[in-house]
Amino acid sequence: YIRALGRAAEVYGPEALAGDLRYRLWKVEARARKLYAEAPKDIRALCDAFAAGYNHFLATHPDRKPRLLDSLE
């Protein structure tokens, strides 16, 4: 997910910058958001359930810190 956001260099260092530029050039995040918005309700529910599960894991494992986490609102 970090790579798809075009933010891998923030986590992995300068060697990931070229990949970040490609992902941003290809507008991967914007395309993913558009596809999510257009997806059938059951597919969006699966995506939402995955995110809820990840958020639950983070809430119940405070010792585990994600490498990169920002609000996507």
Side-chain angles (χ1 to χ4, degrees), residues 24-68:
R24 289 181 183 217
L25 177 67
W26 296 334
K27 300 179 181 182
V28 172
E29 181 183 2
R31 288 178 180 191
R33 288 179 180 273
K34 182 178 184 293
L35 289 171
Y36 171 84
E38 296 170 351
K41 189 175 183 178
D42 57 336
I43 299 298
R44 288 194 315 270
L46 285 172
C47 293
D48 294 345
F50 174 83
Y54 186 75
N55 288 331
H56 175 75
F57 176 84
L58 291 176
T60 58
H61 294 81
D63 57 312
R64 302 291 300 266
K65 300 294 180 197
R67 291 175 281 181
L68 178 72

Side-chain angles (χ1 to χ4, degrees), residues 2-12 20 24 68-70 72:
I2 293 168
R3 290 186 194 286
L5 291 171
R7 296 182 63 188
E10 295 176 47
V11 176
Y12 303 111
D20 285 351
R24 289 181 183 217
L68 178 72
L69 185 63
D70 286 338
L72 296 176

